[in-house]
Amino acid sequence: MILLLIGTAMTATFLVARLMTPLYEAEADIMFNPRELSWMGDTTQPGALPPSEESARKNEIAIVQSRVLAEAVVDRLELQRIAEFNPSLRPSLSERLRALVAGWAGPALSLLPIEAAASEMPGGGAPHRNTRDEVVNSFQRRLDATSSDASRVISIRFRSEDAERATLVANAVADHFIAQKRDQEVSAAEALGRSLTQEIADLNRDIRDAERRLEETRIALGLHSDSNIKALADRMTELNRQLIAVTGERLRAEAQFAEAQSVRSNGSESAAQVLDSPLIQRLQEAATAASSQVGQLSLRYSNNHPALIAARAELRDLRSRIGEEVQKIQNSRLNAVAIAKTNEEGLRQQVNLLNEQMAKANASEVDVRVMEREVEAKRTLLPQLAARLNNANAQIDYLKLHGPDMQVISRAVVPPFATFPPTLAMLATAFVLSAGGGGVLALLLERADNTVQSLSQIRRMTPVRVVGALPIADRRRRWRRRPPAEHVLDETDSMFIEQLRSLALRTGLGDPTTKVLLFTSSVSEEGKSSAASSMARMLALSGRRTVLIDADLRAPTVHRIFGMNRGPGLTEYVTGGHSLSEVIRTDTASGAEIITAGRNVASPSDVLQSPRLQELVSDLAVMFDAVIIDSPPVLAACDAHILARLADRTLMIVRWRSTRISTFVSAMQRLSDDRIPVDGIVLSQVDGRKYRLHDYGDSAMFSAGFRKYYTRT
């Protein structure tokens, strides 16, 4: 599937590439020199920095791709007359159909009204008013300009259906760009020179006016001494010093008041340590002693004892006195805070008043200094403008003499090959995308596959023993495979034969207690008849007396596998009229005995429930070493349930990557509901090479290293 997707995608891509109109790309290179980055200045931004090389390079590329330059080249080369750029010159759909039919109809076209219609179409009349815009847009889409990092070279590329036209346009764009750049630079330099000359004249006039206003202001304000301002400054320094001292006193008073406030809120126990009052300390010591005495008396007397009552009264008096002393200290500190705030406010008012006086004194001085700085700034700017004017004049002379510092370092040549469509790149992209898409699609299909795929998967679905897997008998003949039963005759030590032997061994076939082996499946086409026929031939070739019974009376296949007639067979024997010797036939290739299904009957289930069939199976178990029964599918009819009661072992055949999981589970559930034991499950028609690719837990059984154990003869 992946190869099919890759082949289809690459074929379609190749056809699409062949159908595309080829385009030729011509390239011309121009280089601008470092002098191009010199900055002639801007009168409104004297402190601006010159543009970087990257900015200059981007600006030049934008000019090359601009619409103004495109319109100029279109007009110069008259590209609007070429159908490649002008859509109105291309034949319309009706004209192309008319030209196509012209070879068939011939003179009969003169009788059709298509002539009149064609003459009225836009292509035959005046050009559409948007034709020029469409031509320029088409031109800009085909033009490209790039430049690598850290390079002053700009590559101009143009694509056209004609190789010579692509070369002509690329060179024309480069030449017109340099000519346009020269004209723009000369015009810009001349405009800058005129602007700088006018600005210098205006600046000289402003300097004279500013100096005159400065002198008039000095005379009007009488600014000849600064002694008054100095005295005010000294007074301000002294007031600030006093204000700082008063502010410190206020902060200390507020801290002491806050300390007393916290003592009152927390209780009087820590008042002596916090307030540092000797009286409070003595009262605190007395209260501590009284509290200790109350504690001792409370241990000796009851609460109503006079001594205990007196001690408690004394303790209350002491604590009350402590609270009164704390309140006195708090009131005194609050007064100190109020006094400090009053002093501080008075000093602040004096400072504010002095500030107003100094502001009035400094106002006139500030105005004069501002005017002085303005005059000085204009004097400083005048030499800068003069230098920029000289620079602009020098550049004007240089541009008129030498032109812009740009040159064509590589002119475009006629390209020998078309650059569009990129067939190899398209094929490579198609290969990568189709391969990746095919892989993803294959993975999704694998994930969506709900069939039985491995032995380990079967073990997870059911506790029934998995006895083996039967590979494809003859994988080499992919298109003309032989039935597995014929493969048994040719191969003696192939993997298929070895797996058949393993099945016989693991099912105990041939033991005195296990002689009758039943093969069934969930649905048809799972390989149960092939497995039963191959097992019968393998056992017969190994020297065991083996008989194969085709009990699938509804759709028998054993007679076709062995090349026999369908009857007489099992049906004729059970319904009467034929003996065992008449219905049993020998496979001359292997020596196995075969009992075919026989003729069709109306009710196969009645035949299988007949006591005569039970007697037949019992007799054959005595006569032969192994009795193989091919049963109908479990989900097709109830025949497998009837036959399973006659067999010693029942094998469920499951076809690899064909039997759906739900189908297999349903068949196993139906057998379990009827209490029919399944002694083993066999995975049939397994492709060993594909099985190894999935890397299942048991895929090693099909590994290449085991081939040496299976010799083909």
Side-chain angles (χ1 to χ4, degrees):
M1 182 189 64
I2 296 175
L3 292 177
L4 179 62
L5 287 176
I6 293 175
T8 302
M10 295 191 69
T11 302
T13 303
F14 180 77
L15 293 178
V16 169
R18 297 295 294 176
L19 292 175
M20 290 182 177
T21 302
L23 296 178
Y24 296 87
E25 183 178 82
E27 178 179 346
D29 296 331
I30 61 176
M31 183 179 68
F32 57 92
N33 295 328
R35 199 199 64 80
E36 173 60 21
L37 300 180
S38 65
W39 177 65
M40 294 188 298
D42 188 351
T43 58
T44 60
Q45 296 182 356
L49 295 176
S52 63
E53 285 199 13
E54 182 180 2
S55 299
R57 184 169 57 250
K58 291 181 178 179
N59 294 338
E60 303 302 342
I61 292 176
I63 295 174
V64 171
Q65 296 177 326
S66 65
R67 190 173 186 84
V68 174
L69 190 143
E71 292 176 349
V73 175
V74 167
D75 295 339
R76 175 183 174 184
L77 301 180
E78 298 182 347
L79 298 181
Q80 64 272 14
R81 299 179 179 273
I82 301 175
E84 178 183 355
F85 302 94
N86 192 345
S88 63
L89 300 179
R90 302 170 190 168
S92 62
L93 179 61
S94 61
E95 291 175 343
R96 283 181 288 179
L97 293 176
R98 181 173 176 271
L100 182 63
V101 177
W104 301 342
L109 289 176
S110 59
L111 302 177
L112 298 178
I114 193 171
E115 282 289 341
S119 62
E120 298 175 0
M121 298 193 65
H128 196 271
R129 59 187 181 91
N130 293 329
T131 300
R132 176 178 172 79
D133 293 337
E134 294 178 359
V135 171
V136 174
N137 293 336
S138 177
F139 180 87
Q140 287 185 301
R141 286 194 297 268
R142 297 168 182 265
L143 179 65
D144 188 20
T146 58
S147 177
S148 60
D149 295 339
S151 173
R152 300 188 182 97
V153 176
I154 299 177
S155 299
I156 300 175
R157 291 185 293 273
F158 190 81
R159 296 180 297 275
S160 175
E161 298 175 6
D162 183 82
E164 295 182 356
R165 186 182 302 123
T167 305
L168 177 64
V169 172
N171 291 327
V173 170
D175 296 338
H176 191 82
F177 170 70
I178 293 178
Q180 179 181 348
K181 189 69 176 176
R182 180 186 62 251
D183 297 340
Q184 290 177 351
E185 290 183 358
V186 171
S187 300
E190 292 177 347
L192 179 60
R194 291 192 297 270
S195 176
L196 289 174
T197 302
Q198 182 63 37
E199 187 170 355
I200 290 174
D202 295 340
L203 185 60
N204 286 324
R205 184 175 60 255
D206 292 343
I207 291 174
R208 290 193 299 269
D209 295 341
E211 289 177 346
R212 184 175 60 255
R213 290 193 301 270
L214 177 61
E215 291 300 327
E216 293 174 353
T217 303
R218 284 182 180 276
I219 296 173
L221 296 176
L223 296 177
H224 57 278
S225 175
D226 58 352
S227 58
N228 187 25
I229 296 177
K230 183 177 180 182
L232 292 176
D234 294 340
R235 177 61 179 164
M236 177 63 70
T237 302
E238 178 64 22
L239 288 177
N240 285 331
R241 185 186 61 78
Q242 296 177 7
L243 179 60
I244 292 172
V246 172
T247 302
E249 293 177 359
R250 177 183 60 80
L251 293 176
R252 285 194 297 273
E254 289 179 348
Q256 292 176 355
F257 175 73
E259 182 181 24
Q261 188 72 18
S262 65
V263 168
R264 184 177 181 184
S265 61
N266 295 333
S268 60
E269 289 76 4
S270 60
Q273 291 79 5
V274 176
L275 300 178
D276 196 17
S277 173
L279 178 58
I280 293 177
Q281 291 179 2
R282 290 194 298 272
L283 291 175
Q284 185 67 38
E285 292 174 358
T288 302
S291 177
S292 176
Q293 185 179 2
V294 168
Q296 293 176 1
L297 291 176
S298 63
L299 297 176
R300 297 173 56 187
Y301 305 108
S302 63
N303 293 332
N304 296 327
H305 194 275
L308 183 57
I309 293 173
R312 289 178 176 173
E314 181 181 1
L315 179 60
R316 285 195 298 272
D317 293 341
L318 290 173
R319 290 179 176 174
S320 177
R321 292 182 61 188
I322 292 174
E324 293 175 357
E325 291 298 325
V326 171
Q327 182 63 35
K328 291 178 181 179
I329 294 175
Q330 184 179 6
N331 292 336
S332 64
R333 292 186 176 181
L334 180 60
N335 294 332
V337 171
I339 294 171
K341 287 184 177 179
T342 301
N343 295 335
E344 183 182 9
E345 184 64 26
L347 286 174
R348 288 189 184 278
Q349 291 178 0
Q350 295 181 23
V351 170
N352 293 335
L353 181 60
L354 189 59
N355 281 331
E356 293 177 359
Q357 295 176 0
M358 292 186 65
K360 293 179 180 179
N362 289 331
S364 57
E365 182 69 20
V366 170
D367 293 339
V368 171
R369 290 179 180 177
V370 169
M371 296 176 66
E372 290 177 349
R373 285 195 296 270
E374 181 179 357
V375 173
E376 186 64 25
K378 291 182 178 180
R379 289 174 178 171
T380 304
L381 180 60
L382 185 60
Q384 297 178 4
L385 293 178
R388 290 163 60 191
L389 177 59
N390 295 332
N391 186 18
N393 292 329
Q395 291 198 23
I396 293 174
D397 296 338
Y398 181 86
L399 291 173
K400 290 181 178 180
L401 182 61
H402 302 285
D405 283 346
M406 283 191 174
Q407 58 180 338
V408 178
I409 61 174
S410 176
R411 300 192 66 83
V413 296
V414 178
F417 304 104
T419 57
F420 181 86
T423 305
L424 293 180
M426 293 173 63
L427 291 176
T429 303
F431 175 81
V432 173
L433 294 179
S434 59
V440 172
L441 180 60
L443 180 60
L444 294 177
L445 292 177
E446 290 287 344
R447 293 292 182 89
D449 191 357
N450 58 354
T451 59
V452 178
Q453 300 185 21
S454 67
L455 299 177
S456 57
Q457 183 184 23
I458 298 176
R459 293 188 178 96
R460 290 192 298 268
M461 290 188 295
T462 177
V464 178
R465 185 168 65 115
V466 179
V467 295
L470 292 177
I472 297 176
D474 193 0
R475 192 179 183 281
R476 293 173 298 176
R477 302 181 181 181
R478 183 177 298 273
W479 306 112
R480 292 189 306 167
R481 286 177 179 161
R482 298 173 299 167
E486 294 185 12
H487 181 76
V488 174
L489 301 175
D490 300 335
E491 304 288 341
T492 58
D493 276 331
S494 66
M495 187 175 184
F496 179 74
I497 301 298
E498 188 62 30
Q499 290 297 325
L500 286 176
R501 292 170 182 167
S502 177
L503 289 180
L505 179 63
R506 300 188 68 182
T507 55
L509 191 61
D511 294 343
T513 58
T514 305
K515 287 192 174 183
V516 182
L517 182 62
L518 176 71
F519 284 83
T520 187
S521 62
S522 303
V523 292
S524 60
E525 303 298 331
E526 294 196 61
K528 61 177 182 59
S529 299
S530 297
S533 303
S534 301
M535 177 68 76
R537 272 186 169 174
M538 186 273 296
L539 294 175
L541 290 173
S542 64
R544 300 185 185 183
R545 294 173 299 168
T546 306
V547 60
L548 172 62
I549 302 175
D550 188 358
D552 189 355
L553 304 182
R554 302 174 188 269
T557 57
V558 171
H559 64 281
R560 290 198 297 269
I561 294 176
F562 289 92
M564 300 178 179
N565 295 326
R566 180 169 176 173
L570 184 63
T571 303
E572 286 79 5
Y573 177 83
V574 174
T575 56
H578 288 76
S579 63
L580 180 61
S581 59
E582 293 176 336
V583 300
I584 191 168
R585 281 169 281 183
T586 302
D587 176 30
T588 57
S590 63
E593 303 294 335
I594 311 298
I595 299 178
T596 58
R599 60 181 174 84
N600 291 326
V601 292
S603 178
S605 299
D606 294 339
V607 175
L608 299 179
Q609 294 182 38
S610 173
R612 186 171 173 81
L613 177 60
Q614 299 178 11
E615 294 176 359
L616 173 63
V617 173
S618 299
D619 294 341
L620 293 176
V622 175
M623 298 169 55
F624 292 90
D625 296 328
V627 179
I628 310 298
I629 301 177
D630 181 16
S631 166
V634 173
L635 298 180
C638 61
D639 298 355
H641 302 67
I642 301 171
L643 294 170
R645 293 184 173 89
L646 304 178
D648 299 325
R649 294 283 188 274
T650 300
L651 294 181
M652 173 68 74
I653 305 297
V654 181
R655 184 173 179 177
W656 178 70
R657 303 200 70 176
S658 177
T659 305
R660 298 171 64 89
I661 295 176
S662 57
T663 302
F664 170 67
V665 172
S666 298
M668 295 296 294
Q669 187 63 45
R670 178 174 294 186
L671 293 175
S672 176
D673 292 342
D674 294 340
R675 297 182 180 180
I676 303 299
V678 177
D679 300 286
I681 299 175
V682 180
L683 193 62
S684 67
Q685 303 185 41
V686 179
D687 190 331
R689 186 176 64 180
K690 294 182 179 179
Y691 196 90
R692 292 196 309 271
L693 294 178
H694 290 273
D695 196 22
Y696 298 121
D698 49 7
S699 60
M701 61 186 298
F702 297 104
S703 65
F706 289 165
R707 293 179 181 175
K708 59 185 178 181
Y709 296 99
Y710 311 121
T711 304
R712 297 182 180 273
T713 59

